[in-house]
mmCIF file of all heavy atoms in Angstrom:
data_model
loop_
_atom_site.group_PDB
_atom_site.id
_atom_site.type_symbol
_atom_site.label_atom_id
_atom_site.label_comp_id
_atom_site.label_asym_id
_atom_site.label_seq_id
_atom_site.Cartn_x
_atom_site.Cartn_y
_atom_site.Cartn_z
ATOM 1 N N ALA M 7 -13.173 1.344 -16.582
ATOM 2 C CA ALA M 7 -13.930 1.766 -15.395
ATOM 3 C C ALA M 7 -15.294 1.083 -15.379
ATOM 4 O O ALA M 7 -15.780 0.658 -14.323
ATOM 5 C CB ALA M 7 -14.075 3.284 -15.395
ATOM 6 N N ASN M 12 -19.115 -2.588 -12.986
ATOM 7 C CA ASN M 12 -20.142 -3.620 -13.176
ATOM 8 C C ASN M 12 -20.060 -4.715 -12.124
ATOM 9 O O ASN M 12 -21.023 -5.435 -11.884
ATOM 10 C CB ASN M 12 -20.017 -4.257 -14.565
ATOM 11 C CG ASN M 12 -20.594 -3.337 -15.615
ATOM 12 O OD1 ASN M 12 -21.279 -2.368 -15.261
ATOM 13 N ND2 ASN M 12 -20.301 -3.602 -16.882
ATOM 14 N N HIS M 13 -18.880 -4.855 -11.514
ATOM 15 C CA HIS M 13 -18.737 -5.880 -10.470
ATOM 16 C C HIS M 13 -19.362 -5.451 -9.155
ATOM 17 O O HIS M 13 -19.440 -6.249 -8.225
ATOM 18 C CB HIS M 13 -17.260 -6.229 -10.273
ATOM 19 C CG HIS M 13 -16.775 -7.214 -11.275
ATOM 20 N ND1 HIS M 13 -16.637 -8.549 -10.996
ATOM 21 C CD2 HIS M 13 -16.452 -7.052 -12.571
ATOM 22 C CE1 HIS M 13 -16.229 -9.174 -12.079
ATOM 23 N NE2 HIS M 13 -16.099 -8.288 -13.052
ATOM 24 N N GLN M 14 -19.787 -4.209 -9.073
ATOM 25 C CA GLN M 14 -20.429 -3.678 -7.860
ATOM 26 C C GLN M 14 -19.649 -4.102 -6.634
ATOM 27 O O GLN M 14 -20.190 -4.707 -5.705
ATOM 28 C CB GLN M 14 -21.870 -4.154 -7.769
ATOM 29 C CG GLN M 14 -22.637 -3.731 -8.990
ATOM 30 C CD GLN M 14 -24.103 -3.999 -8.867
ATOM 31 O OE1 GLN M 14 -24.517 -4.964 -8.254
ATOM 32 N NE2 GLN M 14 -24.908 -3.134 -9.448
ATOM 33 N N GLU M 22 -17.344 5.076 -7.157
ATOM 34 C CA GLU M 22 -17.036 5.806 -8.392
ATOM 35 C C GLU M 22 -15.613 5.434 -8.797
ATOM 36 O O GLU M 22 -14.706 5.426 -7.950
ATOM 37 C CB GLU M 22 -17.125 7.313 -8.140
ATOM 38 C CG GLU M 22 -17.348 8.103 -9.397
ATOM 39 C CD GLU M 22 -17.398 9.613 -9.116
ATOM 40 O OE1 GLU M 22 -17.644 10.001 -7.955
ATOM 41 O OE2 GLU M 22 -17.154 10.363 -10.048
ATOM 42 N N LEU M 50 -9.170 6.219 -8.480
ATOM 43 C CA LEU M 50 -8.550 6.660 -9.733
ATOM 44 C C LEU M 50 -7.490 5.640 -10.127
ATOM 45 O O LEU M 50 -6.651 5.266 -9.303
ATOM 46 C CB LEU M 50 -7.874 8.022 -9.556
ATOM 47 C CG LEU M 50 -8.725 9.144 -8.980
ATOM 48 C CD1 LEU M 50 -7.881 10.379 -8.741
ATOM 49 C CD2 LEU M 50 -9.861 9.467 -9.915
ATOM 50 N N SER M 54 -0.469 4.366 -16.864
ATOM 51 C CA SER M 54 0.943 4.644 -16.566
ATOM 52 C C SER M 54 1.038 5.971 -15.840
ATOM 53 O O SER M 54 0.098 6.777 -15.862
ATOM 54 C CB SER M 54 1.773 4.684 -17.854
ATOM 55 O OG SER M 54 1.416 5.809 -18.624
ATOM 56 N N ARG M 64 10.987 9.043 -2.871
ATOM 57 C CA ARG M 64 11.408 8.156 -3.960
ATOM 58 C C ARG M 64 10.405 8.200 -5.104
ATOM 59 O O ARG M 64 9.302 8.710 -4.943
ATOM 60 C CB ARG M 64 11.527 6.720 -3.452
ATOM 61 C CG ARG M 64 12.588 6.573 -2.368
ATOM 62 C CD ARG M 64 12.636 5.146 -1.855
ATOM 63 N NE ARG M 64 13.529 5.053 -0.705
ATOM 64 C CZ ARG M 64 13.274 4.379 0.399
ATOM 65 N NH1 ARG M 64 12.122 3.735 0.526
ATOM 66 N NH2 ARG M 64 14.131 4.340 1.385
ATOM 67 N N MET M 67 8.270 3.321 -10.239
ATOM 68 C CA MET M 67 8.329 2.974 -11.655
ATOM 69 C C MET M 67 6.939 2.548 -12.142
ATOM 70 O O MET M 67 6.330 1.657 -11.557
ATOM 71 C CB MET M 67 9.315 1.818 -11.816
ATOM 72 C CG MET M 67 9.899 1.709 -13.181
ATOM 73 S SD MET M 67 10.985 0.298 -13.278
ATOM 74 C CE MET M 67 9.831 -1.040 -13.376
ATOM 75 N N ARG M 87 -4.632 10.202 15.709
ATOM 76 C CA ARG M 87 -3.607 9.201 16.014
ATOM 77 C C ARG M 87 -3.814 7.901 15.238
ATOM 78 O O ARG M 87 -2.895 7.100 15.071
ATOM 79 C CB ARG M 87 -3.559 8.925 17.530
ATOM 80 C CG ARG M 87 -4.783 8.269 18.060
ATOM 81 C CD ARG M 87 -4.745 7.838 19.510
ATOM 82 N NE ARG M 87 -6.102 7.469 19.901
ATOM 83 C CZ ARG M 87 -6.703 6.347 19.536
ATOM 84 N NH1 ARG M 87 -6.063 5.460 18.821
ATOM 85 N NH2 ARG M 87 -7.955 6.101 19.896
ATOM 86 N N GLN M 91 -2.598 4.191 10.778
ATOM 87 C CA GLN M 91 -3.056 2.795 10.639
ATOM 88 C C GLN M 91 -3.707 2.544 9.266
ATOM 89 O O GLN M 91 -3.884 1.397 8.868
ATOM 90 C CB GLN M 91 -4.058 2.448 11.740
ATOM 91 C CG GLN M 91 -3.464 2.501 13.123
ATOM 92 C CD GLN M 91 -4.521 2.291 14.205
ATOM 93 O OE1 GLN M 91 -5.692 2.055 13.920
ATOM 94 N NE2 GLN M 91 -4.097 2.385 15.445
ATOM 95 N N ALA M 101 -2.223 -7.069 0.219
ATOM 96 C CA ALA M 101 -1.667 -8.420 0.364
ATOM 97 C C ALA M 101 -2.750 -9.471 0.087
ATOM 98 O O ALA M 101 -2.507 -10.470 -0.592
ATOM 99 C CB ALA M 101 -1.094 -8.602 1.766
ATOM 100 N N GLU M 106 -4.785 -13.623 -4.033
ATOM 101 C CA GLU M 106 -5.750 -14.269 -4.936
ATOM 102 C C GLU M 106 -5.088 -14.693 -6.251
ATOM 103 O O GLU M 106 -5.659 -15.448 -7.019
ATOM 104 C CB GLU M 106 -6.920 -13.326 -5.229
ATOM 105 C CG GLU M 106 -7.787 -13.112 -4.018
ATOM 106 C CD GLU M 106 -9.102 -12.428 -4.348
ATOM 107 O OE1 GLU M 106 -9.544 -12.461 -5.513
ATOM 108 O OE2 GLU M 106 -9.675 -11.836 -3.409
ATOM 109 N N VAL M 120 4.467 -4.767 0.442
ATOM 110 C CA VAL M 120 3.967 -6.133 0.306
ATOM 111 C C VAL M 120 5.055 -6.906 -0.435
ATOM 112 O O VAL M 120 5.514 -6.473 -1.503
ATOM 113 C CB VAL M 120 2.641 -6.173 -0.481
ATOM 114 C CG1 VAL M 120 2.140 -7.608 -0.601
ATOM 115 C CG2 VAL M 120 1.583 -5.290 0.187
ATOM 116 N N CYS M 128 4.693 -4.551 -4.114
ATOM 117 C CA CYS M 128 3.627 -3.552 -3.952
ATOM 118 C C CYS M 128 4.035 -2.549 -2.878
ATOM 119 O O CYS M 128 4.637 -2.935 -1.865
ATOM 120 C CB CYS M 128 2.340 -4.277 -3.562
ATOM 121 S SG CYS M 128 1.047 -3.224 -2.891
ATOM 122 N N ILE M 145 -5.396 10.441 0.906
ATOM 123 C CA ILE M 145 -5.215 9.792 -0.397
ATOM 124 C C ILE M 145 -4.404 8.528 -0.141
ATOM 125 O O ILE M 145 -3.302 8.589 0.412
ATOM 126 C CB ILE M 145 -4.386 10.680 -1.366
ATOM 127 C CG1 ILE M 145 -4.942 12.099 -1.462
ATOM 128 C CG2 ILE M 145 -4.258 10.029 -2.736
ATOM 129 C CD1 ILE M 145 -6.293 12.210 -2.037
ATOM 130 N N ALA M 186 -10.207 -7.187 -7.348
ATOM 131 C CA ALA M 186 -9.875 -7.831 -6.065
ATOM 132 C C ALA M 186 -9.383 -6.785 -5.071
ATOM 133 O O ALA M 186 -9.780 -6.792 -3.893
ATOM 134 C CB ALA M 186 -8.811 -8.905 -6.288
ATOM 135 N N LEU M 199 -13.126 0.891 10.339
ATOM 136 C CA LEU M 199 -13.962 1.962 10.914
ATOM 137 C C LEU M 199 -14.804 1.438 12.070
ATOM 138 O O LEU M 199 -15.046 2.137 13.046
ATOM 139 C CB LEU M 199 -14.864 2.573 9.847
ATOM 140 C CG LEU M 199 -14.151 3.405 8.783
ATOM 141 C CD1 LEU M 199 -15.161 3.946 7.778
ATOM 142 C CD2 LEU M 199 -13.334 4.535 9.381
ATOM 143 N N PRO M 204 -10.534 -9.360 15.017
ATOM 144 C CA PRO M 204 -9.275 -8.807 15.480
ATOM 145 C C PRO M 204 -9.002 -7.455 14.815
ATOM 146 O O PRO M 204 -9.409 -7.230 13.682
ATOM 147 C CB PRO M 204 -8.248 -9.839 15.024
ATOM 148 C CG PRO M 204 -8.863 -10.505 13.851
ATOM 149 C CD PRO M 204 -10.341 -10.508 14.099
ATOM 150 N N HIS M 225 16.725 6.350 10.344
ATOM 151 C CA HIS M 225 16.001 7.612 10.448
ATOM 152 C C HIS M 225 17.016 8.707 10.206
ATOM 153 O O HIS M 225 17.907 8.915 11.013
ATOM 154 C CB HIS M 225 15.363 7.741 11.836
ATOM 155 C CG HIS M 225 14.571 8.983 12.003
ATOM 156 N ND1 HIS M 225 14.450 9.650 13.187
ATOM 157 C CD2 HIS M 225 13.865 9.701 11.110
ATOM 158 C CE1 HIS M 225 13.700 10.718 13.019
ATOM 159 N NE2 HIS M 225 13.335 10.759 11.767
ATOM 160 N N GLY M 241 0.183 1.240 15.836
ATOM 161 C CA GLY M 241 0.796 0.796 14.584
ATOM 162 C C GLY M 241 2.257 1.186 14.486
ATOM 163 O O GLY M 241 2.863 1.044 13.420
ATOM 164 N N ALA M 269 14.137 -15.190 6.221
ATOM 165 C CA ALA M 269 15.177 -16.114 6.711
ATOM 166 C C ALA M 269 15.728 -16.929 5.560
ATOM 167 O O ALA M 269 15.023 -17.226 4.615
ATOM 168 C CB ALA M 269 14.579 -17.015 7.765
#
Side-chain angles (χ1 to χ4, degrees):
N12 283 347
H13 278 260
Q14 302 188 326
E22 202 181 340
L50 307 174
S54 68
R64 297 178 187 137
M67 203 182 76
R87 67 174 169 75
Q91 296 174 3
E106 291 192 21
V120 180
C128 164
I145 309 296
L199 290 180
H225 182 213

